Short mmCIF file of all heavy atoms in Angstrom, two decimals:
data_model
loop_
_atom_site.label_atom_id
_atom_site.label_comp_id
_atom_site.label_asym_id
_atom_site.label_seq_id
_atom_site.Cartn_x
_atom_site.Cartn_y
_atom_site.Cartn_z
N MET A 1 -24.45 -12.27 -53.53
CA MET A 1 -23.48 -13.19 -52.99
C MET A 1 -22.20 -12.41 -52.71
O MET A 1 -21.79 -11.58 -53.51
CB MET A 1 -23.23 -14.32 -53.98
CG MET A 1 -22.35 -15.41 -53.44
SD MET A 1 -22.03 -16.76 -54.58
CE MET A 1 -23.63 -17.46 -54.80
N SER A 2 -21.59 -12.67 -51.58
CA SER A 2 -20.37 -11.96 -51.23
C SER A 2 -19.15 -12.84 -51.45
O SER A 2 -19.25 -14.05 -51.64
CB SER A 2 -20.43 -11.49 -49.78
OG SER A 2 -20.52 -12.60 -48.92
N THR A 3 -18.00 -12.22 -51.40
CA THR A 3 -16.73 -12.92 -51.55
C THR A 3 -16.00 -12.87 -50.23
O THR A 3 -16.04 -11.86 -49.52
CB THR A 3 -15.86 -12.23 -52.63
OG1 THR A 3 -16.58 -12.23 -53.86
CG2 THR A 3 -14.54 -12.94 -52.82
N LEU A 4 -15.33 -13.95 -49.90
CA LEU A 4 -14.59 -14.05 -48.65
C LEU A 4 -13.16 -14.46 -48.96
O LEU A 4 -12.93 -15.44 -49.67
CB LEU A 4 -15.25 -15.09 -47.74
CG LEU A 4 -14.52 -15.46 -46.45
CD1 LEU A 4 -14.50 -14.27 -45.50
CD2 LEU A 4 -15.20 -16.65 -45.80
N ASN A 5 -12.21 -13.71 -48.45
CA ASN A 5 -10.80 -14.08 -48.58
C ASN A 5 -10.33 -14.64 -47.25
O ASN A 5 -10.61 -14.06 -46.20
CB ASN A 5 -9.95 -12.86 -48.94
CG ASN A 5 -10.29 -12.33 -50.32
OD1 ASN A 5 -10.36 -13.09 -51.27
ND2 ASN A 5 -10.52 -11.03 -50.40
N VAL A 6 -9.65 -15.77 -47.31
CA VAL A 6 -9.19 -16.43 -46.09
C VAL A 6 -7.71 -16.73 -46.20
O VAL A 6 -7.25 -17.27 -47.21
CB VAL A 6 -9.96 -17.76 -45.88
CG1 VAL A 6 -9.46 -18.48 -44.65
CG2 VAL A 6 -11.45 -17.50 -45.80
N ARG A 7 -6.98 -16.39 -45.17
CA ARG A 7 -5.56 -16.77 -45.12
C ARG A 7 -5.50 -18.16 -44.51
O ARG A 7 -6.13 -18.43 -43.49
CB ARG A 7 -4.77 -15.79 -44.27
CG ARG A 7 -4.70 -14.41 -44.84
CD ARG A 7 -3.73 -13.55 -44.02
NE ARG A 7 -3.90 -12.16 -44.32
CZ ARG A 7 -3.31 -11.54 -45.34
NH1 ARG A 7 -2.53 -12.20 -46.16
NH2 ARG A 7 -3.51 -10.24 -45.54
N THR A 8 -4.74 -19.02 -45.12
CA THR A 8 -4.64 -20.39 -44.64
C THR A 8 -3.26 -20.66 -44.05
O THR A 8 -2.29 -20.00 -44.40
CB THR A 8 -4.91 -21.40 -45.76
OG1 THR A 8 -3.92 -21.25 -46.79
CG2 THR A 8 -6.29 -21.21 -46.35
N ASP A 9 -3.23 -21.63 -43.15
CA ASP A 9 -1.96 -22.11 -42.62
C ASP A 9 -1.79 -23.55 -43.10
O ASP A 9 -2.58 -24.05 -43.90
CB ASP A 9 -1.93 -22.00 -41.09
CG ASP A 9 -3.07 -22.76 -40.42
OD1 ASP A 9 -3.72 -23.60 -41.07
OD2 ASP A 9 -3.29 -22.53 -39.22
N ALA A 10 -0.78 -24.21 -42.61
CA ALA A 10 -0.49 -25.57 -43.08
C ALA A 10 -1.64 -26.54 -42.78
O ALA A 10 -1.99 -27.37 -43.62
CB ALA A 10 0.80 -26.08 -42.44
N ALA A 11 -2.24 -26.41 -41.60
CA ALA A 11 -3.36 -27.30 -41.25
C ALA A 11 -4.55 -27.06 -42.17
O ALA A 11 -5.21 -28.01 -42.60
CB ALA A 11 -3.76 -27.08 -39.79
N MET A 12 -4.85 -25.81 -42.47
CA MET A 12 -5.95 -25.48 -43.38
C MET A 12 -5.65 -25.99 -44.78
O MET A 12 -6.54 -26.53 -45.44
CB MET A 12 -6.19 -23.97 -43.41
CG MET A 12 -6.67 -23.38 -42.12
SD MET A 12 -8.44 -23.21 -41.95
CE MET A 12 -8.95 -22.45 -43.44
N ASP A 13 -4.41 -25.83 -45.24
CA ASP A 13 -4.04 -26.32 -46.56
C ASP A 13 -4.21 -27.83 -46.65
O ASP A 13 -4.69 -28.36 -47.66
CB ASP A 13 -2.60 -25.94 -46.91
CG ASP A 13 -2.43 -24.45 -47.15
OD1 ASP A 13 -3.42 -23.78 -47.50
OD2 ASP A 13 -1.29 -23.96 -47.01
N LYS A 14 -3.86 -28.53 -45.59
CA LYS A 14 -4.02 -29.99 -45.55
C LYS A 14 -5.50 -30.36 -45.61
O LYS A 14 -5.90 -31.27 -46.34
CB LYS A 14 -3.37 -30.55 -44.29
CG LYS A 14 -3.39 -32.05 -44.21
CD LYS A 14 -2.63 -32.53 -42.97
CE LYS A 14 -2.67 -34.05 -42.88
NZ LYS A 14 -1.93 -34.54 -41.72
N ALA A 15 -6.33 -29.65 -44.85
CA ALA A 15 -7.76 -29.92 -44.85
C ALA A 15 -8.37 -29.63 -46.21
O ALA A 15 -9.17 -30.43 -46.72
CB ALA A 15 -8.45 -29.07 -43.77
N ILE A 16 -7.98 -28.53 -46.84
CA ILE A 16 -8.50 -28.21 -48.17
C ILE A 16 -8.07 -29.26 -49.18
O ILE A 16 -8.86 -29.68 -50.03
CB ILE A 16 -8.07 -26.79 -48.60
CG1 ILE A 16 -8.81 -25.74 -47.74
CG2 ILE A 16 -8.34 -26.56 -50.08
CD1 ILE A 16 -8.32 -24.33 -47.92
N ALA A 17 -6.84 -29.72 -49.07
CA ALA A 17 -6.36 -30.76 -49.99
C ALA A 17 -7.19 -32.04 -49.83
O ALA A 17 -7.56 -32.67 -50.82
CB ALA A 17 -4.88 -31.05 -49.73
N ALA A 18 -7.52 -32.38 -48.60
CA ALA A 18 -8.33 -33.58 -48.35
C ALA A 18 -9.74 -33.40 -48.91
O ALA A 18 -10.32 -34.33 -49.48
CB ALA A 18 -8.37 -33.89 -46.86
N LEU A 19 -10.31 -32.21 -48.73
CA LEU A 19 -11.67 -31.96 -49.18
C LEU A 19 -11.78 -31.75 -50.69
O LEU A 19 -12.88 -31.82 -51.24
CB LEU A 19 -12.26 -30.75 -48.45
CG LEU A 19 -12.54 -30.96 -46.96
CD1 LEU A 19 -12.92 -29.64 -46.31
CD2 LEU A 19 -13.63 -32.00 -46.76
N THR A 20 -10.67 -31.52 -51.36
CA THR A 20 -10.70 -31.35 -52.81
C THR A 20 -10.18 -32.60 -53.53
O THR A 20 -10.19 -32.64 -54.76
CB THR A 20 -9.87 -30.13 -53.25
OG1 THR A 20 -8.53 -30.26 -52.77
CG2 THR A 20 -10.48 -28.84 -52.74
N ALA A 21 -9.78 -33.61 -52.79
CA ALA A 21 -9.23 -34.83 -53.39
C ALA A 21 -10.25 -35.55 -54.28
O ALA A 21 -9.87 -36.26 -55.21
CB ALA A 21 -8.72 -35.77 -52.31
N ASP A 22 -11.54 -35.35 -53.99
CA ASP A 22 -12.57 -36.02 -54.79
C ASP A 22 -13.00 -35.21 -56.00
O ASP A 22 -13.96 -35.57 -56.69
CB ASP A 22 -13.78 -36.34 -53.91
CG ASP A 22 -14.48 -35.10 -53.39
OD1 ASP A 22 -14.00 -33.97 -53.64
OD2 ASP A 22 -15.53 -35.24 -52.72
N GLY A 23 -12.32 -34.10 -56.26
CA GLY A 23 -12.64 -33.29 -57.43
C GLY A 23 -13.36 -31.99 -57.14
O GLY A 23 -13.61 -31.20 -58.04
N ARG A 24 -13.73 -31.77 -55.87
CA ARG A 24 -14.35 -30.49 -55.51
C ARG A 24 -13.36 -29.36 -55.76
O ARG A 24 -12.16 -29.52 -55.61
CB ARG A 24 -14.69 -30.45 -54.03
CG ARG A 24 -15.87 -31.21 -53.59
CD ARG A 24 -16.11 -30.90 -52.10
NE ARG A 24 -17.10 -31.79 -51.57
CZ ARG A 24 -16.91 -32.60 -50.55
NH1 ARG A 24 -15.77 -32.61 -49.90
NH2 ARG A 24 -17.87 -33.38 -50.14
N THR A 25 -13.91 -28.19 -56.04
CA THR A 25 -13.06 -27.01 -56.10
C THR A 25 -12.80 -26.54 -54.66
O THR A 25 -13.47 -26.97 -53.72
CB THR A 25 -13.75 -25.86 -56.87
OG1 THR A 25 -14.92 -25.46 -56.14
CG2 THR A 25 -14.14 -26.30 -58.27
N LYS A 26 -11.86 -25.64 -54.51
CA LYS A 26 -11.59 -25.09 -53.18
C LYS A 26 -12.83 -24.37 -52.65
O LYS A 26 -13.16 -24.48 -51.46
CB LYS A 26 -10.40 -24.13 -53.21
CG LYS A 26 -9.07 -24.82 -53.36
CD LYS A 26 -7.94 -23.81 -53.33
CE LYS A 26 -6.59 -24.50 -53.48
NZ LYS A 26 -5.48 -23.53 -53.42
N THR A 27 -13.52 -23.66 -53.52
CA THR A 27 -14.74 -22.96 -53.11
C THR A 27 -15.78 -23.95 -52.61
O THR A 27 -16.40 -23.75 -51.56
CB THR A 27 -15.29 -22.13 -54.27
OG1 THR A 27 -14.33 -21.12 -54.60
CG2 THR A 27 -16.62 -21.48 -53.92
N GLU A 28 -15.99 -25.03 -53.36
CA GLU A 28 -16.96 -26.04 -52.94
C GLU A 28 -16.55 -26.68 -51.61
O GLU A 28 -17.40 -26.94 -50.75
CB GLU A 28 -17.10 -27.12 -54.01
CG GLU A 28 -17.77 -26.63 -55.27
CD GLU A 28 -17.66 -27.61 -56.43
OE1 GLU A 28 -16.69 -28.41 -56.47
OE2 GLU A 28 -18.53 -27.57 -57.30
N ALA A 29 -15.26 -26.92 -51.44
CA ALA A 29 -14.77 -27.52 -50.20
C ALA A 29 -15.01 -26.61 -49.00
O ALA A 29 -15.44 -27.06 -47.94
CB ALA A 29 -13.28 -27.85 -50.32
N VAL A 30 -14.77 -25.32 -49.18
CA VAL A 30 -14.97 -24.37 -48.08
C VAL A 30 -16.46 -24.25 -47.77
O VAL A 30 -16.86 -24.25 -46.61
CB VAL A 30 -14.35 -23.00 -48.42
CG1 VAL A 30 -14.76 -21.94 -47.41
CG2 VAL A 30 -12.83 -23.12 -48.48
N ARG A 31 -17.30 -24.18 -48.80
CA ARG A 31 -18.75 -24.12 -48.57
C ARG A 31 -19.22 -25.37 -47.82
O ARG A 31 -20.01 -25.28 -46.88
CB ARG A 31 -19.49 -24.01 -49.89
CG ARG A 31 -19.39 -22.65 -50.52
CD ARG A 31 -20.15 -22.61 -51.82
NE ARG A 31 -20.02 -21.30 -52.44
CZ ARG A 31 -20.07 -21.09 -53.74
NH1 ARG A 31 -20.27 -22.10 -54.57
NH2 ARG A 31 -19.95 -19.88 -54.22
N TYR A 32 -18.75 -26.53 -48.26
CA TYR A 32 -19.11 -27.80 -47.62
C TYR A 32 -18.71 -27.77 -46.14
O TYR A 32 -19.52 -28.09 -45.27
CB TYR A 32 -18.40 -28.94 -48.35
CG TYR A 32 -18.55 -30.29 -47.69
CD1 TYR A 32 -19.64 -31.10 -47.99
CD2 TYR A 32 -17.61 -30.75 -46.78
CE1 TYR A 32 -19.79 -32.34 -47.39
CE2 TYR A 32 -17.75 -31.98 -46.17
CZ TYR A 32 -18.83 -32.78 -46.48
OH TYR A 32 -18.97 -34.00 -45.87
N ALA A 33 -17.47 -27.38 -45.87
CA ALA A 33 -16.98 -27.37 -44.49
C ALA A 33 -17.77 -26.39 -43.63
O ALA A 33 -18.14 -26.72 -42.49
CB ALA A 33 -15.49 -27.02 -44.48
N LEU A 34 -18.05 -25.20 -44.15
CA LEU A 34 -18.80 -24.21 -43.38
C LEU A 34 -20.22 -24.69 -43.09
O LEU A 34 -20.69 -24.59 -41.95
CB LEU A 34 -18.86 -22.88 -44.13
CG LEU A 34 -17.60 -22.04 -44.08
CD1 LEU A 34 -17.73 -20.86 -45.04
CD2 LEU A 34 -17.34 -21.54 -42.68
N LEU A 35 -20.89 -25.20 -44.10
CA LEU A 35 -22.28 -25.64 -43.90
C LEU A 35 -22.36 -26.84 -42.96
O LEU A 35 -23.26 -26.91 -42.12
CB LEU A 35 -22.93 -25.96 -45.24
CG LEU A 35 -23.21 -24.74 -46.11
CD1 LEU A 35 -23.70 -25.17 -47.49
CD2 LEU A 35 -24.20 -23.81 -45.45
N HIS A 36 -21.42 -27.77 -43.07
CA HIS A 36 -21.44 -28.93 -42.17
C HIS A 36 -21.08 -28.53 -40.74
O HIS A 36 -21.66 -29.06 -39.79
CB HIS A 36 -20.54 -30.03 -42.71
CG HIS A 36 -21.21 -30.85 -43.76
ND1 HIS A 36 -21.42 -30.40 -45.03
CD2 HIS A 36 -21.79 -32.07 -43.69
CE1 HIS A 36 -22.07 -31.31 -45.72
NE2 HIS A 36 -22.32 -32.34 -44.93
N THR A 37 -20.16 -27.62 -40.59
CA THR A 37 -19.81 -27.13 -39.26
C THR A 37 -21.00 -26.39 -38.65
O THR A 37 -21.32 -26.59 -37.46
CB THR A 37 -18.58 -26.21 -39.31
OG1 THR A 37 -17.49 -26.96 -39.84
CG2 THR A 37 -18.21 -25.69 -37.94
N TYR A 38 -21.67 -25.58 -39.44
CA TYR A 38 -22.85 -24.86 -38.96
C TYR A 38 -23.94 -25.84 -38.54
O TYR A 38 -24.54 -25.71 -37.47
CB TYR A 38 -23.35 -23.92 -40.05
CG TYR A 38 -24.59 -23.14 -39.68
CD1 TYR A 38 -24.61 -22.29 -38.58
CD2 TYR A 38 -25.74 -23.25 -40.44
CE1 TYR A 38 -25.75 -21.58 -38.24
CE2 TYR A 38 -26.89 -22.54 -40.12
CZ TYR A 38 -26.89 -21.70 -39.01
OH TYR A 38 -28.02 -21.01 -38.69
N ARG A 39 -24.19 -26.86 -39.36
CA ARG A 39 -25.19 -27.88 -39.02
C ARG A 39 -24.82 -28.59 -37.73
O ARG A 39 -25.67 -28.78 -36.85
CB ARG A 39 -25.28 -28.92 -40.15
CG ARG A 39 -26.33 -29.99 -39.88
CD ARG A 39 -26.09 -31.24 -40.68
NE ARG A 39 -24.84 -31.82 -40.22
CZ ARG A 39 -24.14 -32.71 -40.89
NH1 ARG A 39 -24.55 -33.13 -42.05
NH2 ARG A 39 -23.02 -33.20 -40.41
N ASP A 40 -23.55 -28.94 -37.58
CA ASP A 40 -23.11 -29.62 -36.36
C ASP A 40 -23.32 -28.73 -35.13
O ASP A 40 -23.70 -29.22 -34.06
CB ASP A 40 -21.64 -30.03 -36.47
CG ASP A 40 -21.41 -31.14 -37.48
OD1 ASP A 40 -22.39 -31.78 -37.93
OD2 ASP A 40 -20.23 -31.38 -37.83
N GLU A 41 -23.08 -27.44 -35.27
CA GLU A 41 -23.30 -26.51 -34.16
C GLU A 41 -24.78 -26.41 -33.81
O GLU A 41 -25.14 -26.35 -32.63
CB GLU A 41 -22.74 -25.12 -34.50
CG GLU A 41 -21.23 -25.07 -34.52
CD GLU A 41 -20.60 -25.34 -33.17
OE1 GLU A 41 -21.09 -24.83 -32.15
OE2 GLU A 41 -19.60 -26.08 -33.14
N LEU A 42 -25.65 -26.39 -34.82
CA LEU A 42 -27.09 -26.36 -34.56
C LEU A 42 -27.55 -27.62 -33.84
O LEU A 42 -28.36 -27.56 -32.91
CB LEU A 42 -27.87 -26.18 -35.87
CG LEU A 42 -27.76 -24.82 -36.54
CD1 LEU A 42 -28.48 -24.85 -37.89
CD2 LEU A 42 -28.29 -23.72 -35.67
N ILE A 43 -27.04 -28.76 -34.27
CA ILE A 43 -27.40 -30.02 -33.63
C ILE A 43 -26.90 -30.04 -32.19
O ILE A 43 -27.63 -30.46 -31.27
CB ILE A 43 -26.85 -31.22 -34.44
CG1 ILE A 43 -27.62 -31.34 -35.76
CG2 ILE A 43 -26.94 -32.52 -33.63
CD1 ILE A 43 -27.01 -32.32 -36.74
N LYS A 44 -25.69 -29.57 -31.97
CA LYS A 44 -25.13 -29.51 -30.61
C LYS A 44 -25.99 -28.62 -29.72
O LYS A 44 -26.31 -28.99 -28.59
CB LYS A 44 -23.70 -28.97 -30.67
CG LYS A 44 -23.05 -28.78 -29.33
CD LYS A 44 -21.68 -28.14 -29.47
CE LYS A 44 -21.14 -27.70 -28.13
NZ LYS A 44 -19.99 -26.82 -28.24
N GLN A 45 -26.40 -27.48 -30.24
CA GLN A 45 -27.24 -26.56 -29.46
C GLN A 45 -28.59 -27.18 -29.16
O GLN A 45 -29.12 -27.05 -28.06
CB GLN A 45 -27.41 -25.23 -30.20
CG GLN A 45 -28.19 -24.20 -29.40
CD GLN A 45 -27.49 -23.81 -28.11
OE1 GLN A 45 -26.33 -23.44 -28.14
NE2 GLN A 45 -28.18 -23.91 -27.00
N ALA A 46 -29.16 -27.88 -30.13
CA ALA A 46 -30.46 -28.53 -29.93
C ALA A 46 -30.36 -29.60 -28.85
O ALA A 46 -31.26 -29.73 -28.00
CB ALA A 46 -30.97 -29.13 -31.23
N ARG A 47 -29.27 -30.36 -28.86
CA ARG A 47 -29.07 -31.38 -27.81
C ARG A 47 -28.96 -30.74 -26.43
O ARG A 47 -29.55 -31.22 -25.47
CB ARG A 47 -27.80 -32.19 -28.10
CG ARG A 47 -27.98 -33.26 -29.11
CD ARG A 47 -26.75 -34.16 -29.19
NE ARG A 47 -26.89 -35.05 -30.30
CZ ARG A 47 -26.04 -35.16 -31.31
NH1 ARG A 47 -24.94 -34.43 -31.31
NH2 ARG A 47 -26.26 -35.98 -32.30
N GLU A 48 -28.17 -29.66 -26.35
CA GLU A 48 -28.01 -28.97 -25.07
C GLU A 48 -29.35 -28.41 -24.59
O GLU A 48 -29.67 -28.49 -23.40
CB GLU A 48 -26.97 -27.86 -25.20
CG GLU A 48 -25.55 -28.38 -25.37
CD GLU A 48 -24.55 -27.29 -25.71
OE1 GLU A 48 -24.95 -26.10 -25.84
OE2 GLU A 48 -23.36 -27.62 -25.85
N ASP A 49 -30.13 -27.86 -25.50
CA ASP A 49 -31.45 -27.33 -25.14
C ASP A 49 -32.36 -28.45 -24.65
O ASP A 49 -33.07 -28.28 -23.65
CB ASP A 49 -32.10 -26.62 -26.32
CG ASP A 49 -31.42 -25.30 -26.68
OD1 ASP A 49 -30.62 -24.80 -25.85
OD2 ASP A 49 -31.68 -24.79 -27.78
N ALA A 50 -32.35 -29.57 -25.36
CA ALA A 50 -33.21 -30.70 -24.97
C ALA A 50 -32.82 -31.22 -23.59
O ALA A 50 -33.70 -31.52 -22.77
CB ALA A 50 -33.10 -31.81 -26.01
N GLU A 51 -31.52 -31.32 -23.32
CA GLU A 51 -31.07 -31.79 -22.01
C GLU A 51 -31.48 -30.81 -20.92
O GLU A 51 -31.96 -31.21 -19.85
CB GLU A 51 -29.55 -31.98 -22.00
CG GLU A 51 -29.10 -33.17 -22.83
CD GLU A 51 -27.58 -33.22 -23.01
OE1 GLU A 51 -26.87 -32.38 -22.39
OE2 GLU A 51 -27.12 -34.08 -23.78
N ARG A 52 -31.32 -29.52 -21.19
CA ARG A 52 -31.69 -28.50 -20.21
C ARG A 52 -33.19 -28.54 -19.92
O ARG A 52 -33.62 -28.51 -18.77
CB ARG A 52 -31.28 -27.11 -20.72
CG ARG A 52 -31.64 -25.97 -19.81
CD ARG A 52 -31.18 -24.62 -20.37
NE ARG A 52 -31.47 -24.42 -21.77
CZ ARG A 52 -32.66 -24.05 -22.26
NH1 ARG A 52 -33.67 -23.84 -21.44
NH2 ARG A 52 -32.84 -23.88 -23.55
N LEU A 53 -33.99 -28.65 -20.98
CA LEU A 53 -35.44 -28.67 -20.81
C LEU A 53 -35.92 -29.96 -20.16
O LEU A 53 -36.90 -29.96 -19.40
CB LEU A 53 -36.13 -28.47 -22.16
CG LEU A 53 -35.93 -27.08 -22.77
CD1 LEU A 53 -36.51 -27.03 -24.17
CD2 LEU A 53 -36.53 -26.00 -21.89
N ALA A 54 -35.25 -31.07 -20.42
CA ALA A 54 -35.64 -32.34 -19.81
C ALA A 54 -35.46 -32.30 -18.30
O ALA A 54 -36.16 -33.01 -17.57
CB ALA A 54 -34.83 -33.48 -20.41
N ASP A 55 -34.53 -31.48 -17.83
CA ASP A 55 -34.28 -31.36 -16.40
C ASP A 55 -35.12 -30.28 -15.73
O ASP A 55 -35.00 -30.06 -14.53
CB ASP A 55 -32.79 -31.06 -16.16
CG ASP A 55 -31.90 -32.23 -16.53
OD1 ASP A 55 -32.39 -33.38 -16.53
OD2 ASP A 55 -30.71 -32.00 -16.83
N ASP A 56 -35.97 -29.61 -16.50
CA ASP A 56 -36.79 -28.52 -15.97
C ASP A 56 -38.19 -29.06 -15.68
O ASP A 56 -38.96 -29.35 -16.59
CB ASP A 56 -36.86 -27.40 -17.00
CG ASP A 56 -37.65 -26.20 -16.53
OD1 ASP A 56 -38.54 -26.36 -15.66
OD2 ASP A 56 -37.40 -25.10 -17.03
N PRO A 57 -38.55 -29.20 -14.38
CA PRO A 57 -39.86 -29.78 -14.05
C PRO A 57 -41.03 -28.97 -14.59
O PRO A 57 -42.04 -29.54 -15.00
CB PRO A 57 -39.87 -29.81 -12.52
CG PRO A 57 -38.68 -29.09 -12.06
CD PRO A 57 -37.77 -28.86 -13.21
N ASP A 58 -40.92 -27.65 -14.63
CA ASP A 58 -42.00 -26.84 -15.18
C ASP A 58 -42.18 -27.09 -16.67
O ASP A 58 -43.30 -27.19 -17.16
CB ASP A 58 -41.74 -25.35 -14.94
CG ASP A 58 -41.84 -24.97 -13.47
OD1 ASP A 58 -42.54 -25.68 -12.72
OD2 ASP A 58 -41.20 -23.97 -13.09
N ASP A 59 -41.08 -27.20 -17.38
CA ASP A 59 -41.16 -27.46 -18.81
C ASP A 59 -41.71 -28.86 -19.08
O ASP A 59 -42.51 -29.05 -20.00
CB ASP A 59 -39.79 -27.28 -19.48
CG ASP A 59 -39.92 -27.27 -20.99
OD1 ASP A 59 -40.50 -26.30 -21.51
OD2 ASP A 59 -39.47 -28.25 -21.63
N ARG A 60 -41.27 -29.83 -18.29
CA ARG A 60 -41.79 -31.19 -18.45
C ARG A 60 -43.29 -31.22 -18.21
O ARG A 60 -44.03 -31.89 -18.94
CB ARG A 60 -41.06 -32.14 -17.52
CG ARG A 60 -39.63 -32.40 -18.01
CD ARG A 60 -38.79 -33.27 -17.13
NE ARG A 60 -39.47 -34.40 -16.56
CZ ARG A 60 -39.16 -34.94 -15.40
NH1 ARG A 60 -38.17 -34.45 -14.69
NH2 ARG A 60 -39.82 -35.97 -14.94
N ALA A 61 -43.78 -30.49 -17.22
CA ALA A 61 -45.21 -30.43 -16.95
C ALA A 61 -45.95 -29.78 -18.12
O ALA A 61 -47.03 -30.24 -18.51
CB ALA A 61 -45.47 -29.66 -15.66
N GLU A 62 -45.39 -28.74 -18.68
CA GLU A 62 -46.00 -28.08 -19.83
C GLU A 62 -46.05 -29.01 -21.03
O GLU A 62 -47.07 -29.08 -21.74
CB GLU A 62 -45.22 -26.81 -20.18
CG GLU A 62 -45.77 -26.03 -21.35
CD GLU A 62 -47.13 -25.39 -21.07
OE1 GLU A 62 -47.50 -25.26 -19.90
OE2 GLU A 62 -47.82 -25.03 -22.04
N MET A 63 -44.98 -29.75 -21.29
CA MET A 63 -44.97 -30.70 -22.40
C MET A 63 -46.03 -31.78 -22.20
O MET A 63 -46.74 -32.16 -23.14
CB MET A 63 -43.59 -31.33 -22.58
CG MET A 63 -42.56 -30.38 -23.16
SD MET A 63 -41.00 -31.19 -23.58
CE MET A 63 -40.31 -31.50 -21.96
N LEU A 64 -46.16 -32.27 -20.98
CA LEU A 64 -47.17 -33.29 -20.68
C LEU A 64 -48.58 -32.72 -20.89
O LEU A 64 -49.45 -33.39 -21.45
CB LEU A 64 -47.00 -33.81 -19.26
CG LEU A 64 -47.94 -34.92 -18.82
CD1 LEU A 64 -47.82 -36.13 -19.74
CD2 LEU A 64 -47.65 -35.32 -17.38
N SER A 65 -48.79 -31.49 -20.48
CA SER A 65 -50.09 -30.83 -20.67
C SER A 65 -50.42 -30.73 -22.16
O SER A 65 -51.55 -31.01 -22.58
CB SER A 65 -50.05 -29.44 -20.04
OG SER A 65 -51.22 -28.74 -20.32
N ILE A 66 -49.46 -30.36 -22.96
CA ILE A 66 -49.68 -30.25 -24.41
C ILE A 66 -49.96 -31.62 -25.01
O ILE A 66 -50.86 -31.78 -25.84
CB ILE A 66 -48.46 -29.58 -25.09
CG1 ILE A 66 -48.37 -28.12 -24.66
CG2 ILE A 66 -48.54 -29.71 -26.61
CD1 ILE A 66 -47.07 -27.44 -25.03
N GLN A 67 -49.19 -32.63 -24.58
CA GLN A 67 -49.41 -33.99 -25.08
C GLN A 67 -50.82 -34.49 -24.72
O GLN A 67 -51.48 -35.12 -25.54
CB GLN A 67 -48.34 -34.94 -24.55
CG GLN A 67 -46.98 -34.68 -25.14
CD GLN A 67 -45.88 -35.48 -24.44
OE1 GLN A 67 -46.06 -35.98 -23.34
NE2 GLN A 67 -44.74 -35.59 -25.11
N ARG A 68 -51.26 -34.18 -23.52
CA ARG A 68 -52.62 -34.57 -23.12
C ARG A 68 -53.66 -33.84 -23.98
O ARG A 68 -54.63 -34.43 -24.43
CB ARG A 68 -52.84 -34.26 -21.64
CG ARG A 68 -52.18 -35.25 -20.71
CD ARG A 68 -52.59 -35.01 -19.26
NE ARG A 68 -51.95 -36.01 -18.42
CZ ARG A 68 -51.23 -35.72 -17.34
NH1 ARG A 68 -51.06 -34.47 -16.96
NH2 ARG A 68 -50.68 -36.69 -16.62
N TYR A 69 -53.45 -32.56 -24.18
CA TYR A 69 -54.37 -31.78 -25.00
C TYR A 69 -54.47 -32.36 -26.41
O TYR A 69 -55.54 -32.39 -27.01
CB TYR A 69 -53.91 -30.30 -25.04
CG TYR A 69 -54.75 -29.45 -25.93
CD1 TYR A 69 -56.01 -29.00 -25.51
CD2 TYR A 69 -54.31 -29.08 -27.19
CE1 TYR A 69 -56.80 -28.20 -26.32
CE2 TYR A 69 -55.09 -28.28 -28.02
CZ TYR A 69 -56.33 -27.86 -27.58
OH TYR A 69 -57.12 -27.08 -28.39
N LEU A 70 -53.35 -32.81 -26.96
CA LEU A 70 -53.32 -33.37 -28.31
C LEU A 70 -53.79 -34.82 -28.33
O LEU A 70 -53.88 -35.42 -29.41
CB LEU A 70 -51.90 -33.27 -28.89
CG LEU A 70 -51.39 -31.86 -29.14
CD1 LEU A 70 -49.93 -31.89 -29.55
CD2 LEU A 70 -52.23 -31.15 -30.19
N GLY A 71 -54.05 -35.39 -27.16
CA GLY A 71 -54.50 -36.78 -27.09
C GLY A 71 -53.40 -37.79 -27.31
O GLY A 71 -53.66 -38.94 -27.66
N LEU A 72 -52.17 -37.38 -27.08
CA LEU A 72 -51.03 -38.27 -27.28
C LEU A 72 -50.75 -39.15 -26.07
O LEU A 72 -50.16 -40.20 -26.21
CB LEU A 72 -49.78 -37.45 -27.64
CG LEU A 72 -49.90 -36.60 -28.91
CD1 LEU A 72 -48.67 -35.74 -29.08
CD2 LEU A 72 -50.12 -37.49 -30.13
N VAL A 73 -51.18 -38.68 -24.90
CA VAL A 73 -51.03 -39.45 -23.65
C VAL A 73 -52.31 -39.29 -22.85
O VAL A 73 -53.11 -38.39 -23.08
CB VAL A 73 -49.82 -38.97 -22.80
CG1 VAL A 73 -48.51 -39.21 -23.52
CG2 VAL A 73 -49.96 -37.53 -22.40
N GLU A 74 -52.49 -40.20 -21.91
CA GLU A 74 -53.69 -40.12 -21.07
C GLU A 74 -53.41 -39.42 -19.77
O GLU A 74 -52.36 -39.28 -19.30
CB GLU A 74 -54.20 -41.53 -20.78
CG GLU A 74 -54.71 -42.19 -22.04
CD GLU A 74 -55.25 -43.58 -21.76
OE1 GLU A 74 -55.55 -43.91 -20.60
OE2 GLU A 74 -55.39 -44.32 -22.71
#
């Protein structure tokens, strides 16, 4: 496990105060914020990928072919 030092400004201090108001430590608050931000970025990327693929006729044909092979559609 590594250690990370972060310089904070007033906005960061306010956010940390809000995230530690329920009793979390600063470390727990930073871990929480990083993991939730990372998850949100992954979800955003997945949505963008799904939208891009939904607009791709070749990909849609491939998905339909797979669904037919699996017996999910006729």
Side-chain angles (χ1 to χ4, degrees):
M1 187 180 296
S2 62
T3 301
L4 173 67
N5 294 311
V6 178
R7 294 187 195 275
T8 62
D9 57 15
M12 295 265 312
D13 290 336
K14 184 176 179 178
I16 290 171
L19 291 171
T20 57
D22 64 357
R24 284 186 190 122
T25 65
K26 287 182 180 181
T27 296
E28 291 168 334
V30 170
R31 286 180 181 151
Y32 173 88
L34 282 171
L35 290 173
H36 278 75
T37 300
Y38 178 59
R39 181 201 65 198
D40 291 347
E41 289 296 318
L42 290 175
I43 290 170
K44 176 184 169 193
Q45 184 63 53
R47 280 189 188 122
E48 290 172 358
D49 290 346
E51 289 170 6
R52 179 179 45 80
L53 293 173
D55 292 336
D56 182 334
D58 291 334
D59 191 68
R60 287 177 40 210
E62 180 68 18
M63 287 188 288
L64 183 57
S65 174
I66 292 168
Q67 290 171 343
R68 284 187 179 128
Y69 177 77
L70 295 173
L72 300 174
V73 295
E74 293 181 19

